[in-house]
Amino acid sequence: MGRILAIDYGHKRVGLAVTDPLQMIATPLETIHSQDLLTYVKTLHAREPLSALVIGMPKTLLNEATDSTSAVVGVVRRLRKDFPELPVHEIDERYTSRMAHAAMLAGGLSKKDRRDKAMVDKVSATLILQSFLESR
């Protein structure tokens, strides 16, 4: 059974999280530049085969598209084209940034670390992945 990779896509940065090989635990992986996403996924998939991709789909509180939605839809299309063997699941990410801040606060991270947007993106990707795992 391969790992599942979660993607919290942003125009500048992409937060990544991955499961353990048994697909039970979501763990933050890293934050990369958005331009490097496809290369990163190809390298990771070649090194350690993935079984699925999960990407956060941005929506407003009224379940409407945001400014970022079209960019994420484009990334989803590209992932499906470049990795036809991998299912790509879209997960609602409406509250992940707020939940990430709360989780970081509860985890005892300093104010400086909580302001680190790269850290927030990684934690958000982890929450997206955990949500997906719990929904199965």
Side-chain angles (χ1 to χ4, degrees):
M1 185 180 301
R3 296 177 187 260
I4 300 172
L5 178 69
I7 301 166
D8 180 28
Y9 187 82
H11 293 291
K12 294 180 183 177
R13 289 176 315 279
V14 177
L16 301 169
V18 69
T19 63
D20 62 304
L22 297 176
Q23 300 179 0
M24 297 175 72
I25 301 169
T27 306
L29 189 56
E30 64 181 294
T31 302
I32 60 172
H33 194 281
S34 59
Q35 294 174 329
D36 301 330
L37 176 62
L38 294 173
T39 303
Y40 186 92
V41 175
K42 286 177 187 175
T43 303
L44 180 65
H45 188 45
R47 186 178 68 229
E48 193 166 347
L50 301 169
S51 63
L53 301 171
V54 176
I55 189 163
M57 188 57 67
K59 300 279 184 177
T60 66
L61 295 178
L62 299 174
N63 202 29
E64 297 170 348
T66 69
D67 296 342
S68 302
T69 304
S70 62
V72 175
V73 168
V75 170
V76 168
R77 273 194 216 117
R78 185 67 194 264
L79 289 169
R80 287 185 173 141
K81 179 182 173 221
D82 289 2
F83 303 97
E85 73 281 7
L86 294 178
V88 179
H89 304 279
E90 300 171 20
I91 297 293
D92 184 348
E93 69 163 28
R94 271 181 269 196
Y95 300 105
T96 55
S97 291
R98 185 174 294 145
M99 290 169 53
H101 281 285
M104 291 165 63
L105 181 62
L109 267 77
S110 68
K111 193 171 193 175
K112 180 183 173 196
D113 288 339
R114 291 192 311 264
R115 285 187 185 153
D116 180 5
K117 292 181 181 184
M119 176 68 78
V120 174
D121 291 340
K122 281 192 293 193
V123 174
S124 292
T126 306
L127 292 170
I128 289 167
L129 185 52
Q130 192 64 45
S131 174
F132 173 75
L133 293 173
E134 290 171 2
S135 72
R136 295 194 298 172

